[in-house]
Amino acid sequence: MASPNSLIYFQDKVVLHPRDDPINILSIEASRTIDKFILAFQPCVLVIGLFTNVFNGVVFWRQGLRDRMNLCLFCLSLADVAYLITVLIIVTVSSLMAQTGSRLAAEFIIKATVYGIGLLFGAAALSRLISMVIAVERCLCVVFPLQATSLIRTRAMASILVTIFTFVLLCYATKPVGMEAKSITDNLTGEVRWLTGLSPFYTNNNLLCQIIYNVIPRVVIPVGTFLIVLVATCITVVRLRAAMSWRQQASSNRGENLNQQVVLTKMLVVISCIDITCSTPSVIQALLEIFRSDFLTGGPLYNLLRTTGSLSTVFVCINSSVNFFVYITRSTRYRQEFQNLCCSRLSVIKVKQLNVIPSKTGTSLT
């Protein structure tokens, strides 16, 4: 028996909510159990990711953004911070409020979906595109070791990143233009319900909006970046040993620099492999939406798609949070800079403590 909250009234006829439809392969009980696990696990990942990405940004800033890879990794940290913050506000807070079942919670969830979902997907896409740039850059450095520096300079990399940001802004930040939050009054109970709908702009420009809001964000970017990162990483792994061996023979007087390049490349390959693994659920979801349109409107696999979407968000959050641990375990330069950062902060704290002398009366004198 479906609960009253799972019913939809359409032209005075009562129909089941897609989640409660008994034809679902994944039952509503199993779906809710997974949701509870995600709600308990995801905030921990978000908190860890926010702190670690702040550390990443500070370290790369201190190392200097004139190096094109430092610039990429710094921008990647900013994109990950933006994504984690939007997940915390839109997804986690909405899930917690949904547990109350109040009218305010329903209004918040719908408005957060309409006005914030573009920021959420946009930050995720920005992170994916920057990861793609990093994978391609490292692939070019391995395949064309002598020409890599002249092919991609820091200024050119900065231009690429600005172009990516502008592209993402146009595709995602304008998403609220095509959607609107609506409130309807239930004819039977008088209850006010909130739902999302298409704006007049969307209906008047259907083809354009389909491309901007659906095809590019849901298909082109997740599937395209996944394939490019996968191919670039495979080429990098295959050519790494031979290319670095050839480079060392061609410039034997720069052995230390070559070793640093090898370490950097291996570290970035690890990051790309993590990115590929964590992006797989999102790609599967995108492909399912392409070939099975009934996922979005109901059908036997509706709950499975919804759960896959929730899990894909968790995997993306993990991907946005683990880079710090890769940097600090595989990069000596990063580890030294991070230690210097911590030591400098501890020195400042100790100086402040030494400047505060407790008096006999219990007050503090400076």
Side-chain angles (χ1 to χ4, degrees), residues 1-261:
M1 178 69 69
S3 63
N5 291 332
S6 67
L7 300 179
I8 298 176
Y9 298 90
F10 179 71
Q11 294 179 352
D12 297 332
K13 294 181 179 180
V14 180
V15 296
L16 283 169
H17 189 282
R19 286 196 71 187
D20 284 347
D21 197 319
I23 68 172
N24 273 297
I25 291 178
L26 185 66
S27 67
I28 184 65
E29 290 78 13
S31 178
R32 285 173 177 165
T33 301
I34 297 174
D35 288 344
K36 290 178 181 178
F37 171 77
I38 292 173
L39 188 59
F41 175 73
Q42 188 166 267
C44 301
V45 178
L46 295 176
V47 172
I48 293 172
L50 286 172
F51 278 105
T52 56
N53 278 291
V54 169
F55 290 144
N56 292 341
V58 174
V59 169
F60 292 126
W61 178 276
R62 287 166 62 96
Q63 288 182 349
L65 301 183
R66 292 184 179 276
D67 180 85
R68 67 176 184 269
M69 189 48 61
N70 279 352
L71 178 62
C72 286
L73 296 176
F74 174 79
C75 292
L76 180 62
S77 300
L78 293 183
D80 288 338
V81 166
Y83 176 74
L84 294 172
I85 290 175
T86 52
V87 170
L88 180 63
I89 295 174
I90 297 173
V91 178
T92 305
V93 174
S94 296
S95 299
L96 291 172
M97 293 186 68
Q99 303 299 315
T100 65
S102 64
R103 182 183 302 178
L104 178 61
E107 181 179 356
F108 176 84
I109 292 170
I110 293 299
K111 290 187 176 180
T113 301
V114 171
Y115 302 113
I117 202 69
L119 296 176
L120 176 66
F121 290 151
L126 185 61
S127 178
R128 296 283 302 122
L129 289 168
I130 295 174
S131 298
M132 180 190 70
V133 170
I134 293 173
V136 172
E137 189 272 350
R138 207 36 33 183
C139 181
L140 291 176
C141 287
V142 173
V143 177
F144 306 105
L146 299 181
Q147 296 85 4
T149 303
S150 59
L151 285 175
I152 308 176
R153 298 182 182 275
T154 303
R155 183 172 297 181
M157 183 63 73
S159 301
I160 293 172
L161 294 174
V162 170
T163 302
I164 289 174
F165 176 79
T166 305
F167 172 75
V168 170
L169 191 66
L170 291 175
C171 289
Y172 292 90
T174 58
K175 196 172 182 64
V177 177
M179 301 174 64
E180 59 182 5
K182 298 179 180 180
S183 61
I184 60 173
T185 303
D186 196 311
N187 295 332
L188 299 179
T189 64
E191 181 183 359
V192 177
R193 291 178 174 271
W194 286 88
L195 50 84
T196 60
L198 300 178
S199 67
F201 175 80
Y202 192 104
T203 55
N204 294 331
N205 304 274
N206 186 268
L207 180 59
L208 176 63
C209 291
Q210 283 282 352
I211 295 174
I212 296 178
Y213 299 142
N214 294 324
V215 177
I216 294 177
R218 289 186 172 181
V219 180
V220 175
I221 291 181
V223 178
T225 54
F226 178 83
L227 292 176
I228 292 174
V229 171
L230 179 62
V231 172
T233 303
C234 291
I235 295 174
T236 302
V237 171
V238 171
R239 296 291 302 271
L240 178 60
R241 181 173 298 181
M244 290 303 170
S245 176
W246 175 87
R247 178 184 277 187
Q248 188 159 4
Q249 292 176 1
S251 52
S252 57
N253 60 334
R254 295 165 58 191
E256 183 178 353
N257 180 63
L258 293 172
N259 290 333
Q260 291 177 355
Q261 290 297 320

